[in-house]
Amino acid sequence: MAVDTTPRSTTWTHVDGEWLPGNPPLIGPTSHAMWLGSTVFDGARWFDGIAPDLDLHCQRINRSALAMGLKPVKSAEEIATLAWEGVAKFDGATAIYIKPMYWGEHGSPGSVVAVDGESTRFALCLFEAPMGGHGGTSLTVSPYRRPSPETAMTEAKTGSLYPNSGRMIAEARSRGFDNALVRDLNGNVVETASSNIFMVRDGVVMTPAANRTFLAGITRARVIGLLRHAGFDVHEATLSVEDFLAADEIFTTGNYSKVVSVTRLDDRDFQEGPVTRKALELYMDWAYGRSESEE
C-alpha cells in the first residue's frame, strides 16, 4: 500500500523559480542527498506578522551549506525575500515554519561518497505549525551522546545529525518523558535532543558552553543577550547532570517554541520559575518590538 505523502498542514515550496503547493517530488533514488545524506536546512518562525531573526537563519543556512561541501546558490537576502513572499500565501491564522534547504544531486567525479558542490539544489519550504511549549516539558538523561566535530558534521544544521536526535526522543518517550537531556562524549551536558538548555541556580543563569558538539542556536544567543541586557548574570560553562538536578529552574530555547520551562528532570520536579518567565517575556517583547533591541 502506497504511503500518503500529503503534508500534514498547508505547505508551499519554492523551487526552481516557482511556488508549488503540497509536497512536490524533488529527490530521486539516485540523488546524492537521498542516498548519502548531503542535506542541510534551517528553520525560522513567522507568527503574528513577525519573523524574529529571519536574517540570521538565512545567513546560517549558507554557512551550513559550505560546511557540507555544497555551493550556496541564493544569498541570505534573497532567501529572506522569498520567505516573505511565501508567507503571503497563507491566511495568517496559524504560525508558520520557514525552512530553507540545500542538498546535493550528484557525487563528486571519482568518488560518489563526496558530494559535488556544483550539483547543489535549493528549496524554501513553508508550512503551518502552531507554536508549542505550553505547559512545559519533561526530560530524562539520554543514554545516547552527541558526537564530536572529529566524528560528525556538528557545525552544520544537517539532516544527517537528526536520526541520533530522533532515537534520543523515542527512547525518552518510551520511559514516559517528552525529551532527553543530552551529554557529549566527555559526559558533559550540552543540550536536549531538539533544543538548547539553560539552568538557574541562586539567581545565576548558566548554559552549556558552545564546544562545537552541538548547534549553539540563534534563539539561545538572543536569550543570552536579552538576559544580560536586563541585568542577569549569565554564564556559558561546562555543566554536569548533577548541576541540572541541583538547579532552581531549567528552561529550553529553540526556534520552534522559543522559551519552554522544564517541569521534570528524571525523578525531580520543577516549577516554572521567575527567570524562565522573564526570559520568555524579554524575548517576546524584543520580537514584537516592545523593548530596546539587544544585538
Side-chain angles (χ1 to χ4, degrees):
M1 181 177 178
V3 174
D4 182 3
T5 61
T6 304
R8 294 178 176 176
S9 65
T10 301
T11 302
W12 285 91
T13 298
H14 186 275
V15 63
D16 296 335
E18 62 179 331
W19 286 100
L20 302 173
N23 186 28
L26 299 179
I27 297 177
T30 67
S31 298
H32 191 276
M34 183 173 184
W35 186 16
L36 295 166
S38 56
T39 67
V40 294
F41 73 99
D42 217 288
R45 277 296 217 169
W46 176 95
F47 55 93
D48 295 343
I50 59 174
D53 283 326
L54 174 61
D55 57 337
L56 300 184
H57 288 281
C58 295
Q59 293 165 25
R60 188 171 66 181
I61 181 63
N62 281 357
R63 294 197 300 272
S64 291
L66 291 170
M68 177 61 73
L70 299 168
K71 180 180 178 180
V73 296
K74 298 284 186 185
S75 69
E77 293 76 15
E78 287 173 326
I79 297 171
T81 297
L82 281 173
W84 283 110
E85 187 178 306
V87 164
K89 293 183 173 294
F90 294 79
D91 63 15
T94 304
I96 298 168
Y97 192 81
I98 300 170
K99 182 177 62 169
M101 298 172 286
Y102 288 111
W103 69 96
E105 186 60 35
H106 301 297
S108 292
S111 175
V112 70
V113 174
V115 68
D116 181 358
E118 295 301 319
S119 73
T120 300
R121 297 189 67 193
F122 169 82
L124 175 63
C125 179
L126 285 76
F127 58 90
E128 290 181 340
M131 301 294 286
H134 306 295
T137 191
S138 61
L139 302 177
T140 183
V141 177
S142 179
Y144 305 120
R145 304 289 182 99
R146 282 285 184 239
S148 68
E150 297 84 4
T151 61
M153 200 167 291
T154 58
E155 293 179 302
K157 191 171 177 67
T158 169
S160 61
L161 294 174
Y162 280 78
N164 193 34
S165 295
R167 70 172 182 164
M168 292 170 180
I169 292 173
E171 193 278 334
R173 290 184 174 178
S174 75
R175 295 191 283 115
F177 295 87
D178 298 319
N179 208 323
L181 188 70
V182 181
R183 296 164 291 174
D184 62 17
L185 294 179
N186 293 320
N188 301 310
V189 172
V190 287
E191 59 177 351
T192 79
S194 59
S195 55
N196 295 135
I197 193 160
F198 290 73
M199 57 168 278
V200 184
R201 182 75 183 271
D202 298 327
V204 178
V205 183
M206 288 176 280
T207 191
N211 64 2
R212 299 174 61 214
T213 68
F214 68 100
L215 197 66
I218 289 168
T219 305
R220 171 187 179 273
R222 180 64 65 187
V223 168
I224 288 173
L226 290 167
L227 284 170
R228 285 175 173 165
H229 191 65
F232 287 89
D233 194 7
V234 184
H235 296 277
E236 297 182 72
T238 300
L239 299 169
S240 66
V241 171
E242 291 72 26
D243 289 327
F244 278 87
L245 286 169
D248 301 321
E249 302 175 44
I250 303 175
F251 63 90
T252 67
T253 64
N255 170 65
Y256 209 89
S257 299
K258 304 311 179 186
V259 179
V260 177
S261 66
V262 172
T263 57
R264 180 185 172 202
L265 173 56
D266 281 330
D267 293 331
R268 186 169 168 208
D269 293 328
F270 292 84
Q271 299 293 321
E272 182 181 81
V275 179
T276 302
R277 290 192 293 272
K278 188 63 176 179
L280 179 57
E281 176 188 334
L282 288 169
Y283 181 87
M284 288 303 179
D285 281 348
W286 166 80
Y288 286 111
R290 294 191 296 248
S291 66
E292 182 181 347
S293 176
E294 174 61 25
E295 299 295 343

